[in-house]
Amino acid sequence: MANGETKKPSAGQSTDVLKIGMAWCLAWGEAKTPQVDLQVLQQTRQAIKAGEAIPEVVQPYLERIHQLNQLGQSQYPENAEALAALAQKHQDWDKRIGLVYGGATKIKQYVFEASKLQDIRGASALLDRINLIDLPAFFKGEEAGDRFPQCERAAEYCRQIRANWLQKEFPGLEDALIPELIIYSTGGNILAFCPAAYVDDLANAIEKRYTHETLTANACAVGQAFRFLELRFGLLKGNIGQTPWLDWYLQNENATQPLVEAIYGKVEKNSIDQASLTKQFKERKSFNELVRKLAVRFNQRRSGDDRFVGNRLSRRHPPMFETHPYGRRDGPERRLAVNQAKQLPGEPWFSDVTARKRIVGQKVKRETQNTHWFDRGSFGWQYGSLESWTSRFQDFLTDKNLGVDYNPTNRQLEEARSLREIGNASKGFVAYIYADGNNMGGYIQKITTAQDYQEFSDAVSQATEHAVYYALKEHLAPHQLQGIDDPESENRNGTWIHPFEILTIGGDDVMLVVPANKALAIARTLSQQFETLLLDQNSEQYGLNQLLSQESLKAIHRYRPEGAVKRDTNKPVACKLSMSAGVLITAENTPIYYAENLTNQLLKSAKNHAKHLKKEHGYHGGTIDFLTMKAVTMLSSNIKEFREAGLVFGTRPKLKLYGAPYSLHEIGGLLETAKVLKKADFPRSQLYQIRSLLERSKHTAMLNYRYFWSRLNKPEAKRQLKAEFEDAWCKAKTNDGNLVPWIYMEPTEEDRQNPDYVPTYETIWRELVDLYPFTEEPERDPERTAVTNREVQ
């Protein structure tokens, strides 16, 4: 056929977006000028999407992609000779395609530099805008429809980015990029294909966009042009036949060598078999290896390693701003102020950096007043298209027909402007929730294709975002502000608000600020919904059907282990992926940077507990660690040291006065026990006295609890406490009694082999007392209340 003739796509040829992107790169070639006419490439892209005839000149490139994807597990080369023969048969597979990975780094340093919520909100929203709108706009993301909904809603802004910035800074790059090249752009990072000649330009554009918009946020991007065959089989040597391959991996225990294990994964020496080794090699020797190489280069470049810079400039030196010892500083006192906003409460001074954060924080909250200070300050910067997480939450409720459940009276709601407004819904206390996915690294190492990467990223991002919305809808309701005297909330009394702040949702990371009295329930539902939504998307891919033994359940869950698993024959028992969370309950005036640091420590503790439970007992679920901090001076900066030094007593036995971290099942039980304790009307003085005597000795605490329990004049309350606290948490291991308020900690195998092992008992009583003020009052029966009052009289 002649060059301009066309024909229909061949039967069975896949037309998913990434294959369009790879075909685009192959047809473009390895030069900056496309080897196929650009107009023909555009026609091909539209024709593939519409299922129409494809220009003949592009057909060979589509066939190459189709053939490469046909190389499934059954056609995988078994030795280096077969690999070399395959490369010799398809010599045109030696063409190169660019792959670029990049995004923001040291995000917390940029976001939490300021102390005010408005600035933190603005910094987070600005980074989200760059990741979710600006970078996809390079690729014309507004043309991709549902893949990039934020770009679709900000189509004009996306076109302005390319016309006013990208074309001037990086001429020619716009023509080389299409939305089908993006593998993912979420969680603060982007991974995308591009024509080989534009790898450095795209990486530089990503880094420069962050600096251009934020001035001080750190960003890093790396890229490399890989051979087409490497997209399927990972990194290959120049002489493909010399690449160490599967036959070499299986010989002479090569797989168990430390250096080999560092590349292909650790091998259990007592359970080596050829099938498992082959599977492990094929998982690692794939597209996954290319991404891992870029991730290593990313870390090297971020830390200032110049060995692989090539033709690019180093990013070792961050942006620097000149200061003067006698000049006026901005709010964080890091840079010289350039303008004073007299229209804002407190008349703050702003530098260029803090001004951008503040105006974005105001605009994203849809504030219409007190924003003229930015225009009058002549800062010369456009904040672009902004969208708050709260507005997306409202859109979600509308799409799922859940708006009536959350806002039954359809009130006009505004967004919370300060921590004081959020704390107004919970007696002046707020909670920081920081959640992150578990088992992600191990799962990603088994992803073998770019298409699988894209599907995994989309699934996790959607599950994380929707899990947040479901948790907020389930446990929160619109709140009317009362008694607010904050200058930032002037004339806001009586206003109905959303009583929460979503600081960020990115990939599998979540950071929220919510009322203290709902924090643990929200964190638990968030983690549970994350697993449920992933299973709903693809239960075969993410599900686990292996039942844990009763011994394992007892070791994992201290609260009613028999009720931890609810078997449904139509659904998997568990999800391979889960989410852990750190929760800090504290006063509304606690410095945000301090609270963030403690919340991050709690998250790490929860994740370490999840890793331990998975390694020892095969538990794949989520965990939560929390701390109630009534005053900033309650502890130093290290929670682990605080607990070990101040909450562990005795030598024989050792007494541990806290139970955290908890599994999700245990958190549910802790909340139920707290409700029962609240309903029992235990006098506050008795609660605190039992807590103060915990450190005396095991038996002293048991006697004191029994004494105060026996004085309760409500038989029903005594029965419920026995059922939900004593029998649910404190049952003895060797008889039918209980150790209330203590829980015996089963020793690990390592403990049993230690001759100096000391039995340890822990208690949740201290945490129950901490949660007592934040536990909702139970609904009371009027007749029972009247009877009780008569008894008192």
Side-chain angles (χ1 to χ4, degrees):
M1 291 185 180
N3 225 22
E5 294 183 5
T6 60
K7 71 175 186 178
K8 294 285 186 180
S10 57
Q13 183 166 317
S14 175
T15 59
D16 63 73
V17 292
L18 281 183
K19 290 171 185 174
I20 296 175
M22 288 188 285
W24 174 278
C25 292
L26 287 177
W28 186 284
E30 298 184 24
K32 288 206 168 183
T33 302
Q35 62 186 4
V36 176
D37 185 79
L38 184 58
Q39 187 175 358
V40 175
L41 289 178
Q42 293 286 6
Q43 291 174 353
T44 302
R45 175 183 164 226
Q46 299 300 330
I48 294 176
K49 293 170 65 176
E52 298 174 352
I54 299 171
E56 179 65 20
V57 69
V58 183
Q59 188 65 31
Y61 305 109
L62 293 169
E63 287 295 336
R64 290 177 198 173
I65 294 169
H66 181 65
Q67 291 169 5
L68 187 70
N69 285 305
Q70 293 302 309
L71 297 176
Q73 296 291 329
S74 60
Q75 302 179 37
Y76 199 92
E78 297 298 325
N79 51 56
E81 289 76 16
L83 177 66
L86 181 65
Q88 184 66 28
K89 179 181 178 181
H90 302 281
Q91 293 187 16
D92 54 349
W93 287 9
D94 203 43
K95 303 298 181 183
R96 294 184 180 271
I97 292 180
L99 185 64
V100 173
Y101 171 71
T105 66
K106 299 183 179 178
I107 294 175
K108 293 178 183 177
Q109 175 181 302
Y110 172 74
V111 171
F112 294 99
E113 174 189 77
S115 60
K116 289 188 174 294
L117 181 62
Q118 302 100 311
D119 300 332
I120 292 172
R121 176 193 302 135
S124 178
L126 184 53
L127 292 179
D128 285 336
R129 194 209 71 192
I130 296 172
N131 183 233
L132 300 175
I133 299 179
D134 291 22
L135 299 188
F138 294 175
F139 298 80
K140 310 174 187 69
E142 73 276 8
E143 299 177 5
D146 293 342
R147 274 203 70 201
F148 304 106
Q150 293 93 337
C151 287
E152 188 178 26
R153 291 191 288 268
E156 182 58 32
Y157 172 69
C158 292
R159 288 188 284 268
Q160 290 175 5
I161 289 177
R162 295 192 296 274
N164 300 335
W165 189 81
L166 191 63
Q167 288 181 3
K168 297 177 181 178
E169 299 287 344
F170 301 94
L173 181 58
E174 175 188 357
D175 292 336
L177 302 180
I178 57 175
E180 289 81 7
L181 295 172
I182 300 177
I183 299 173
Y184 66 77
S185 180
T186 186
N189 294 307
I190 183 171
L191 179 67
F193 291 117
C194 71
Y198 284 98
V199 167
D200 288 349
D201 282 351
L202 179 56
N204 289 334
I206 292 171
E207 289 185 356
K208 192 164 188 175
R209 187 62 184 175
Y210 276 98
T211 303
H212 182 269
E213 294 299 294
T214 66
L215 300 179
T216 56
N218 284 274
C220 181
V222 294
Q224 185 173 331
F226 296 103
R227 284 175 285 183
F228 183 59
L229 193 62
E230 290 179 312
L231 300 181
R232 181 64 184 86
F233 297 119
L235 298 171
L236 304 173
K237 288 194 172 185
N239 184 343
I240 293 180
Q242 296 179 357
T243 304
W245 204 246
L246 180 59
D247 53 336
W248 167 86
Y249 183 69
L250 297 175
Q251 289 176 359
N252 303 324
E253 298 185 351
N254 285 335
T256 59
Q257 299 300 317
L259 186 59
V260 178
E261 285 187 329
I263 300 172
Y264 297 103
K266 189 170 180 60
V267 175
E268 297 297 333
K269 297 183 180 181
N270 58 352
S271 60
I272 298 178
D273 64 88
Q274 186 163 327
S276 61
L277 289 178
T278 301
K279 182 175 182 291
Q280 183 163 294
F281 180 86
K282 291 180 179 180
E283 288 174 346
R284 299 300 179 92
K285 204 66 181 171
S286 62
F287 179 78
N288 181 284
E289 191 172 28
L290 309 186
V291 179
R292 281 189 285 127
K293 180 176 182 179
L294 291 186
V296 171
R297 291 284 174 86
F298 179 91
N299 291 329
Q300 290 171 334
R301 182 171 175 82
R302 179 177 60 181
S303 60
D305 190 338
D306 284 342
R307 288 178 297 165
F308 308 102
V309 168
N311 297 324
R312 300 180 63 198
L313 296 175
S314 170
R315 65 164 301 281
R316 175 176 297 174
H317 303 289
M320 301 295 291
F321 290 86
E322 184 179 353
T323 58
H324 191 279
Y326 302 109
R328 168 76 70 171
R329 300 298 181 95
D330 61 7
E333 297 190 355
R334 298 197 176 195
R335 287 166 290 273
L336 288 179
V338 296
N339 195 275
Q340 183 180 21
K342 294 184 178 181
Q343 298 86 359
L344 296 180
E347 300 183 354
W349 285 83
F350 291 108
S351 63
D352 283 311
V353 176
T354 54
R356 294 185 182 190
K357 293 180 180 180
R358 177 61 65 90
I359 190 61
V360 170
Q362 288 184 294
K363 290 295 184 180
V364 83
K365 284 296 183 182
R366 293 177 287 187
E367 291 186 29
T368 56
Q369 299 178 347
N370 294 335
T371 59
H372 299 298
W373 63 270
F374 188 80
D375 298 326
R376 294 170 184 169
S378 301
F379 287 98
W381 179 76
Q382 299 295 322
Y383 43 79
S385 177
L386 300 169
E387 185 178 39
S388 74
W389 288 110
T390 305
S391 65
R392 295 183 66 174
F393 168 66
Q394 291 177 303
D395 293 341
F396 171 81
L397 295 181
T398 302
D399 293 341
K400 300 293 183 180
N401 295 319
L402 298 172
V404 176
D405 295 343
Y406 175 75
N407 185 11
T409 57
N410 197 27
R411 292 188 177 93
Q412 190 68 30
L413 303 178
E414 296 185 18
E415 301 186 29
R417 294 184 183 177
S418 65
L419 292 176
R420 185 159 295 181
E421 291 189 358
I422 298 174
N424 190 251
S426 183
K427 302 176 183 178
F429 283 83
V430 299
Y432 295 82
I433 300 176
Y434 190 8
D436 186 39
N438 297 322
N439 314 322
M440 294 292 173
Y443 189 91
I444 289 174
Q445 289 177 356
K446 299 180 181 179
I447 296 178
T448 58
T449 68
Q451 181 65 31
D452 291 340
Y453 261 94
Q454 185 180 78
E455 293 175 356
F456 174 75
S457 174
D458 291 345
V460 170
S461 296
Q462 179 178 308
T464 302
E465 184 175 347
H466 288 187
V468 171
Y469 299 155
Y470 276 119
L472 295 176
K473 187 274 300 181
E474 182 73 21
H475 299 288
L476 294 180
H479 173 72
Q480 187 177 31
L481 296 176
Q482 299 290 344
I484 291 285
D485 58 358
D486 188 357
E488 297 172 3
S489 302
E490 188 177 358
N491 300 322
R492 296 262 290 171
N493 282 316
T495 302
W496 287 89
I497 65 166
H498 297 281
F500 60 85
E501 178 73 33
I502 301 176
L503 291 177
T504 185
I505 303 175
D508 62 334
D509 287 351
V510 173
M511 181 165 280
L512 311 172
V513 184
V514 299
N517 60 340
K518 299 292 185 180
L520 290 181
I522 290 173
R524 178 173 181 260
T525 301
L526 164 62
S527 301
Q528 289 177 326
Q529 282 292 330
F530 176 76
E531 298 179 38
T532 301
L533 292 170
L534 280 178
L535 292 176
D536 289 344
Q537 290 185 58
N538 193 330
S539 60
E540 183 177 346
Q541 183 173 349
Y542 300 115
L544 283 171
N545 285 305
Q546 182 179 357
L547 280 171
L548 296 176
S549 66
Q550 285 299 317
E551 290 75 15
S552 294
L553 290 175
K554 289 179 180 179
I556 295 167
H557 306 293
R558 293 160 290 184
Y559 173 81
R560 299 191 188 281
E562 67 279 359
V565 177
K566 296 180 181 179
R567 182 62 173 162
D568 185 340
T569 56
N570 297 321
K571 294 182 179 180
V573 174
C575 184
K576 294 178 183 177
L577 306 174
S578 62
M579 185 170 280
S580 290
V583 180
L584 176 71
I585 298 174
T586 186
E588 61 190 18
N589 59 356
T590 301
I592 296 179
Y593 67 88
Y594 180 59
E596 185 276 329
N597 179 32
L598 296 180
T599 309
N600 191 43
Q601 292 182 46
L602 291 169
L603 173 62
K604 289 180 180 178
S605 171
K607 290 180 71 68
N608 287 336
H609 187 54
K611 289 178 184 177
H612 168 75
L613 293 180
K614 180 185 176 184
K615 180 181 178 181
E616 297 294 330
H617 309 292
Y619 175 72
H620 284 76
T623 53
I624 294 175
D625 195 354
F626 77 94
L627 179 71
T628 302
M629 187 173 68
K630 299 291 183 65
V632 177
T633 56
M634 176 177 161
L635 76 162
S636 63
S637 59
N638 193 297
I639 292 176
K640 183 177 180 181
E641 291 179 1
F642 163 72
R643 285 173 168 171
E644 291 178 350
L647 299 178
V648 178
F649 296 90
T651 55
R652 277 189 187 278
K654 185 184 292 185
L655 303 179
K656 183 165 162 273
L657 307 189
Y658 63 97
Y662 295 90
S663 68
L664 299 185
H665 176 67
E666 289 175 331
I667 282 290
L670 187 71
L671 293 175
E672 287 300 316
T673 305
K675 291 178 183 178
V676 169
L677 187 63
K678 189 85 169 185
K679 191 175 181 179
D681 278 341
F682 241 113
R684 290 282 187 101
S685 59
Q686 296 179 10
L687 294 175
Y688 296 139
Q689 186 169 348
I690 294 174
R691 183 180 67 177
S692 66
L693 293 172
L694 289 174
E695 61 191 66
R696 292 285 184 88
S697 73
K698 172 187 165 188
H699 294 99
T700 300
M702 293 175 68
L703 288 172
N704 271 277
Y705 173 83
R706 279 291 171 214
Y707 171 71
F708 290 120
W709 177 84
S710 66
R711 294 186 61 186
L712 287 174
N713 58 2
K714 297 181 180 180
E716 179 62 18
K718 295 170 71 172
R719 187 194 66 79
Q720 289 185 348
L721 271 175
K722 185 176 188 308
E724 285 298 326
F725 180 45
E726 300 177 20
D727 295 341
W729 290 94
C730 307
K731 293 187 71 172
K733 305 296 181 182
T734 57
N735 55 58
D736 294 333
N738 63 62
L739 304 171
V740 64
W742 300 104
I743 305 169
Y744 177 66
M745 293 182 64
E746 287 283 357
T748 63
E749 190 63 33
E750 183 179 348
D751 292 334
R752 292 189 177 95
Q753 296 175 3
N754 183 3
D756 298 325
Y757 168 72
V758 176
T760 302
Y761 294 85
E762 60 186 348
T763 179
I764 64 169
W765 186 262
R766 185 182 185 89
E767 287 151 326
L768 287 173
V769 174
D770 288 341
L771 291 176
Y772 193 87
F774 308 109
T775 303
E776 293 183 347
E777 293 281 353
E779 294 184 3
R780 299 180 178 276
D781 185 346
E783 294 184 3
R784 179 176 297 178
T785 302
V787 170
T788 304
N789 290 338
R790 285 197 298 271
E791 291 175 350
V792 172
Q793 294 172 359

